[in-house]
């Protein structure tokens, strides 16, 4: 079965066919780094991680690009309000770049603890201002901009495909004009490409540009950096569902206005939100849950990963401590099952035609079906509960599955390796097996008893004898 993804552009499930065979260019919107990532943000990055791992398992060579928004992401989507970076720096008595560096490190600490593979390309907005200016110049040269009140705007009425992604109609946007605060805009959907003036005076980071000294609008960084690293057209772009109507809609307008190439991106993948009982979680509103707050409450980051993959990325997921607790317990049972197999066997590749390969096929089939992690997880459970599978084959297959799920099962295997590699005990086990084979059960029992006195327990399993310390 081919890999199929739900494409927000067109709202259908589509077979993934890359622009270049066997390669996949993937851009996932990265974090704004004026504060810690909240657990909702981490849902977006686990989704990207599952997508990348699935593509790799399917044999695609993936270039994964993630931006770090360390400049100019304002608190409102209407390009006004206070700069979150400046506000955060002021509150903490640090420079803007110190704040950005601190929270970027915190972000990658969090993602590493959740077994999220670090993207091959991580790019900072502040280090790509020239790319942004270059792209804005092309947009301007193609006639899509106007200047008003000192800022350079994108004129959405000039762009035919505006709103295709979000199924917006430019006429409707005009009708909503009364709600917009920026009087410079010809159309409320227009957005700033380059600011030289804004409502807040103390913008910390500014650069020279053809439009005056200032700083870029929020959306342009993603267009400029994705094009820089993935080319003028690429395969997949992802982000949270909140980005559909504004951020991604504007990214498409900018990129296609600059290059004239359509479609800029073939597949748009959006994760639904993680919600709290109390409602939406917001980075700018504060008072949100971080990964550290889950750890402080006694949970492992992988308990949270387990909780997330228990839901499908396109369904809203409600966070509660009770559901995290049940994810923790399930992961514990899963590891116990896995470790009990690891005690008695080493992973062994199944022979061709083995029924366990069918289960592995079903596992991959679930992921191929728009990344259905809940079904994939239940295939892993089915495998571990299946008594007809030998422990070695079950271990091997579970590890294959975990290459995508990322629950760190290989560490549970490593935890048992130390025991297997103790030659003295292995030799005693071999002597006991020989004694049993020769019918000398007294000797076999004596060997077992001798080891027991040293605190070593022997466990006879289907594929031999394992040992563990009391
Ligand atoms: P931000 O750092 O605020 O730009 O957000 C980073 C990513 O997290 C973006 O892809 C957002 O769409 C996504 N996101 C924000 N809040 C949530 C949430 N509650 N649940 C899932 N994804 C979210
Ligand atoms: Zn973006």
């Amino acid at each position: 079965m081919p890999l199929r993804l739900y494409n927000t552009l067109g709202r259908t499930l589509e077979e993934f066919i890359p622009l270049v065979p066997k390669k996949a260019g993937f851009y996932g919107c990265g974090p704004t780094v004026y504060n810690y990532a909240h657990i909702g943000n981490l849902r977006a990055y686990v989704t990207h991680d599952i997508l990348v791992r699935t593509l790799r398992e399917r044999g695609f060579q993936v270039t994964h690009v993630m931006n770090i928004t360390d400049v100019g992401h304002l608190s409102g989507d209407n390009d006004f309000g206070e700069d979150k970076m400046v506000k955060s720096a002021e509150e903490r008595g640090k420079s803007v770049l110190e704040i950005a560096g601190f929270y970027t490190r915190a972000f990658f600490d969090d993602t590493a603890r959740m077994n999220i593979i670090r993207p091959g390309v991580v790019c900072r907005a502040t280090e790509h201002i020239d790319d942004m200016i270059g792209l804005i110049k092309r947009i301007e040269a193609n006639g899509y901009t106007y200047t008003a009140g000192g800022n350079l705007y994108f004129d959405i009425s000039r762009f035919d495909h505006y709103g295709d992604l979000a199924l917006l109609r430019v006429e409707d946007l005009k009708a909503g004009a009364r709600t917009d605060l920026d009087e410079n805009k010809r159309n409320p959907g227009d957005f700033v490409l380059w600011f030289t003036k804004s409502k807040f005076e103390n913008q910390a980071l500014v650069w020279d540009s053809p439009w005056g000294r200032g700083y870029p609008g929020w959306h342009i960084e993603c267009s400029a950096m994705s094009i820089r690293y993935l080319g003028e057209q690429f395969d997949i772009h992802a982000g949270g569902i909140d980005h559909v109507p504004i951020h991604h809609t504007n990214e498409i307008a900018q990129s296609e206005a600059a290059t004239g190439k359509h479609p800029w991106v073939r597949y748009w993948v959006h994760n639904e939100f993680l919600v709290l009982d109390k409602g939406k979680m917001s980075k700018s509103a504060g008072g949100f849950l971080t990964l550290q707050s889950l750890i402080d409450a006694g949970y492992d980051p992988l308990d949270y990963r387990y909780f997330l993959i228990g839901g499908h990325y396109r369904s809203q997921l409600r966070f509660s401590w009770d559901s995290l607790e049940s994810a923790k317990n399930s992961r514990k049972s899963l590891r116990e099952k896995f470790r009990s197999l690891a005690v008695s066997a080493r992973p062994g590749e199944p022979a061709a035609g083995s029924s366990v390969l069918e289960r592995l096929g079903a596992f991959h089939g679930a992921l191929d079906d728009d990344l259905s992690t809940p079904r994939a997880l239940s295939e892993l459970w089915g495998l571990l509960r299946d008594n007809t599978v030998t422990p070695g084959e079950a271990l091997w297959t579970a590890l294959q599955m975990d290459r995508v799920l990322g629950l760190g099962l290989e560490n549970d295997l490593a935890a048992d390796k130390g025991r297997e590699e103790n030659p003295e005990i292995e030799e005693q086990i071999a002597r006991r097996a020989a004694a049993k084979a020769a019918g000398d059960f007294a000797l076999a029992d004596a060997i077992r008893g001798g080891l027991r006195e040293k605190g070593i327990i022997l466990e006879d399993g289907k594929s031999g004898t394992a040992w563990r310390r009391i």
Side-chain angles (χ1 to χ4, degrees):
M1 195 168 95
L3 170 61
R4 293 190 307 161
L5 296 171
Y6 183 84
N7 191 352
T8 309
L9 188 63
R11 306 281 193 283
T12 50
L13 209 52
E14 284 182 41
E15 178 177 347
F16 175 65
I17 303 170
L19 287 167
V20 179
K22 289 287 159 207
K23 296 202 170 172
F26 169 54
Y27 185 91
C29 287
T32 43
V33 284
Y34 60 88
N35 205 335
Y36 294 105
H38 59 57
I39 59 171
N41 301 136
L42 292 171
R43 183 177 197 201
Y45 303 111
V46 167
T47 303
H48 301 183
D49 189 52
I50 294 285
L51 171 60
V52 168
R53 287 169 179 259
T54 300
L55 288 164
R56 293 205 170 120
E57 277 309 288
R58 277 280 160 251
F60 294 101
Q61 194 190 321
V62 183
T63 305
H64 179 185
V65 180
M66 178 196 275
N67 65 306
I68 303 288
T69 301
D70 54 359
V71 62
H73 182 172
L74 313 178
S75 60
D77 285 322
N78 51 14
D79 300 330
F80 276 80
E82 55 206 334
D83 185 312
K84 295 173 190 169
M85 293 293 304
V86 173
K87 185 169 173 240
S88 180
E90 275 173 357
E91 280 168 6
R92 292 163 177 81
K94 295 249 161 56
S95 79
V96 166
L97 286 180
E98 276 170 344
I99 292 289
F102 175 82
Y103 287 113
T104 304
R105 283 190 293 281
F107 174 76
F108 285 113
D109 284 349
D110 281 355
T111 52
R113 289 189 288 185
M114 289 194 71
N115 261 353
I116 294 170
I117 298 170
R118 192 184 167 105
V121 180
V122 172
C123 39
R124 288 176 175 71
T126 48
E127 291 168 5
H128 293 78
I129 301 295
D130 286 349
D131 291 310
M132 299 184 214
I133 291 175
L135 201 69
I136 298 173
K137 278 188 189 166
R138 291 172 72 185
I139 299 169
E140 186 179 41
N142 290 343
Y144 290 91
T145 63
Y146 61 90
T147 310
N151 298 330
L152 185 74
Y153 289 86
F154 187 98
D155 182 349
I156 65 166
S157 69
R158 304 268 299 117
F159 182 68
D160 286 346
H161 294 287
Y162 193 82
D164 281 2
L165 180 74
L167 308 177
L168 299 172
R169 289 172 3 133
V170 174
E171 302 79 64
D172 296 343
L173 292 174
K174 277 192 183 133
R178 270 155 281 128
T179 58
D180 199 82
L181 298 169
D182 184 352
E183 285 162 8
N184 295 319
K185 290 184 183 181
R186 292 181 189 164
N187 185 315
D190 292 350
F191 55 94
V192 178
L193 294 167
W194 189 267
F195 286 95
T196 66
K197 295 239 168 10
S198 68
K199 276 201 168 170
F200 44 91
E201 296 301 318
N202 57 343
Q203 176 63 28
L205 299 170
V206 284
W207 293 265
D208 286 326
S209 84
W211 312 282
R213 201 163 166 71
Y215 59 97
W218 168 36
H219 316 295
I220 196 73
E221 66 169 278
C222 287
S223 292
M225 293 194 274
S226 59
I227 288 176
R228 159 87 187 248
Y229 293 104
L230 295 170
E232 293 191 350
Q233 289 181 297
F234 62 92
D235 298 304
I236 311 174
H237 194 316
I241 193 93
D242 55 323
H243 284 341
V244 175
I246 297 167
H247 182 48
H248 290 166
T249 289
N250 292 347
E251 280 187 38
I252 292 172
Q254 297 167 150
S255 305
E256 297 190 6
T259 66
K261 291 182 183 154
H262 175 77
W264 170 47
V265 171
R266 285 283 313 282
Y267 303 88
W268 285 88
V269 172
H270 290 102
N271 64 276
E272 250 297 351
F273 261 39
L274 176 88
V275 293
L276 297 178
D277 283 338
K278 281 182 244 103
K280 218 182 132 187
M281 205 174 322
S282 152
K283 200 178 265 191
S284 50
F288 54 74
L289 286 170
T290 60
L291 187 63
Q292 190 58 48
S293 52
L294 305 191
I295 295 168
D296 292 344
Y299 295 95
D300 188 291
L302 294 184
D303 293 334
Y304 184 52
R305 184 175 174 108
Y306 188 100
F307 166 75
L308 288 177
I309 64 178
H312 187 262
Y313 79 93
R314 277 200 301 118
S315 302
Q316 226 179 52
L317 192 58
R318 190 165 291 275
F319 176 84
S320 70
W321 291 102
D322 284 348
S323 43
L324 183 60
E325 181 67 22
S326 83
K328 176 183 177 169
N329 292 332
S330 301
R331 192 175 79 91
K332 185 163 172 271
S333 318
L334 186 90
R335 292 178 68 202
E336 279 167 4
K337 269 295 225 175
F338 184 86
R339 291 179 75 127
S340 71
L341 296 170
V343 163
S344 62
R346 285 168 185 274
E349 190 165 351
S354 162
S355 65
V356 77
L357 293 176
E358 262 168 53
R359 193 179 285 283
L360 186 58
F363 172 88
H364 284 133
L367 291 165
D368 284 348
D369 186 12
D370 196 29
L371 313 176
S372 179
T373 49
R375 274 170 45 213
L377 196 56
S378 76
E379 290 298 341
L380 172 58
W381 269 110
L383 168 77
L384 295 178
R385 287 190 176 123
D386 187 344
N387 294 329
T388 66
V389 181
T390 66
E393 289 187 352
L395 287 171
W396 183 90
T397 311
L399 289 171
Q400 291 299 308
M401 294 177 174
D402 204 35
R403 287 158 64 105
V404 181
L405 299 180
L407 296 170
L409 288 180
E410 74 279 1
N411 297 328
D412 290 316
L413 197 64
D416 291 307
K417 263 196 189 136
R419 302 173 197 167
E420 289 167 9
E421 282 163 11
N422 186 322
E424 211 180 293
I425 299 170
E426 296 292 353
E427 198 207 334
Q428 297 285 349
I429 291 172
R431 274 187 60 218
R432 174 171 166 264
K436 271 167 77 177
D440 189 349
F441 295 108
L443 177 59
D445 285 345
I447 294 168
R448 180 197 277 270
L451 284 170
R452 202 194 149 75
E453 274 174 28
K454 292 182 189 156
I456 308 293
I457 302 282
L458 298 188
E459 284 169 335
D460 293 320
K462 269 188 203 162
S463 50
T465 301
W467 64 273
R468 63 180 169 83
R469 292 191 194 281
I470 295 172

